[in-house]
């Protein structure tokens, strides 16, 4: 039988914890997306646009002492849980939500949509909280490649150009490092491609570090570069 529990983590499990007291219920929300238009002769019509991203919500407590119903092996001070969630919220990056139960399991990247907390009335040291998460959809700019059709419809006009989309890159929850130290043979383009996943962002690194165009081709080995979007974890 699967162990009922909830785990939250950030930056590929660099930080995380188990929810110390299992909530009595978890609410899952799925709603359809509908766009309404006014059409001449028909009036108002609705067009279904698919489902919105799933939401997960529950209420619970971060206990100030180890009650018999505490399920986590490691029990943090109540405000430590709050501090983690507030810091993750400030990073504006997704976290990982894992739920295991008897009927189904959930393992999703999510955004923190709402987090409210207060000291529990009548329970010294306990913190009551409500949290709402939404499934996070990874996205990235996609490069398109022109593809010529096998045969043109007319010989006296250029054939139309079709666009073939490249498959999206694999989602990456990692936070880019704050700095990078140049190794032999490195270029700014290589650093941008390897660390940021896009070689065309090398000029962002150049501008961030105040490197002139004349210096780009003769960067010294061992130079420590600041990286855009880098976040040093406290």
């Amino acid at each position: 039988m699967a162990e009922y529990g909830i785990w939250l983590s950030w930056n590929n499990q660099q930080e995380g914890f188990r929810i110390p007291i299992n909530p009595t219920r978890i609410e899952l929300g799925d709603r359809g997306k509908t766009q309404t238009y006014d059409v001449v002769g028909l009036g108002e019509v609705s067009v279904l646009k698919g489902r919105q991203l799933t939401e997960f919500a529950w209420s619970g407590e971060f206990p100030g002492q180890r009650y018999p119903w505490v399920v986590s092996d490691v029990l943090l001070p109540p405000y430590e849980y709050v501090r983690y969630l507030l810091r993750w919220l400030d990073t504006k990056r997704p976290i990982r939500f894992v739920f295991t139960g008897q009927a189904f399991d959930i393992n999703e990247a999510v955004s923190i949509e709402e987090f409210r907390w207060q000291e529990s009335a009548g329970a010294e040291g306990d913190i009551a909280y409500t949290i709402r998460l939404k499934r996070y959809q990874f996205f990235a700019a996609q490069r398109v490649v022109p593809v010529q059709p096998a045969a043109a419809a007319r010989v006296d006009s250029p054939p139309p150009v079709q666009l073939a989309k490249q498959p999206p890159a694999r989602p990456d929850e990692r936070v880019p490092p704050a700095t990078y130290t140049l190794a032999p043979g490195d270029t700014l383009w290589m650093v941008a491609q390897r660390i940021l996943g896009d070689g065309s962002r090398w000029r962002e690194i150049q501008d961030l570090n105040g490197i002139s165009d004349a210096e780009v081709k003769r960067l010294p080995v061992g130079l420590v570069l600041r990286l855009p979007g880098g976040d040093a974890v406290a």
Side-chain angles (χ1 to χ4, degrees):
M1 181 180 297
E3 182 183 13
Y4 174 39
I6 301 173
W7 289 260
L8 300 177
S9 62
W10 176 80
N11 197 20
N12 281 359
Q13 297 185 340
Q14 182 173 341
E15 296 180 349
F17 56 82
R18 180 177 181 176
I19 295 296
I21 297 178
N22 289 330
T24 56
R25 68 175 183 175
I26 298 179
E27 297 179 1
L28 280 70
D30 287 289
R31 292 181 296 173
K33 292 189 293 185
T34 303
Q35 182 69 50
T36 302
Y37 300 92
D38 287 322
V39 179
V40 177
L42 294 178
E44 187 178 82
V45 297
S46 296
V47 179
L48 298 179
K49 296 289 188 178
R51 291 193 307 172
Q52 295 182 349
L53 297 176
T54 304
E55 292 190 354
F56 314 94
W58 71 89
S59 297
E61 285 188 337
F62 297 132
Q65 55 184 298
R66 182 169 287 279
Y67 298 113
W69 49 89
V70 171
V71 295
S72 57
D73 294 331
V74 178
L75 183 61
L76 304 176
Y79 186 71
E80 191 69 12
Y81 296 102
V82 175
R83 190 176 69 87
Y84 272 122
L85 289 166
L86 293 179
R87 186 169 71 246
W88 297 346
L89 186 60
D90 288 340
T91 66
K92 300 179 181 179
R93 293 184 175 273
I95 67 173
R96 177 64 54 176
F97 166 57
V98 175
F99 166 82
T100 60
Q102 297 181 11
F104 61 91
D105 297 333
I106 301 172
N107 189 335
E108 294 276 5
V110 296
S111 58
I112 302 175
E113 297 294 304
E114 180 182 16
F115 175 58
R116 293 182 287 117
W117 62 279
Q118 64 179 8
E119 289 193 10
S120 297
E124 185 175 354
D126 295 352
I127 290 180
Y129 71 93
T130 297
I131 190 167
R132 182 167 57 88
L133 311 173
K134 178 181 286 188
R135 185 170 69 86
Y136 183 81
Q137 182 66 54
F138 289 95
F139 65 93
Q142 298 183 2
R143 183 173 57 186
V144 294
V145 180
V147 177
Q148 297 293 341
R154 297 176 56 185
V155 297
D156 58 345
S157 62
V161 175
Q162 298 178 348
L163 299 180
K165 291 186 177 180
Q166 297 294 321
R170 181 181 178 182
D172 189 353
E173 298 171 19
R174 295 173 300 174
V175 177
T179 61
Y180 176 81
T181 303
L182 282 177
D186 276 345
T187 64
L188 294 186
W189 189 95
M190 294 169 62
V191 174
Q193 181 66 26
R194 183 185 308 124
I195 307 300
L196 305 180
D198 185 355
S200 64
R201 297 183 63 188
W202 67 272
R203 283 200 178 275
E204 296 180 38
I205 302 177
Q206 178 187 5
D207 295 341
L208 183 62
N209 290 272
I211 300 172
S212 67
D213 290 340
E215 295 173 323
V216 168
K217 295 184 178 180
R218 48 186 178 85
L219 297 174
V221 173
L223 177 65
V224 178
L225 298 173
R226 295 167 56 202
L227 299 178
D231 185 11
V233 179

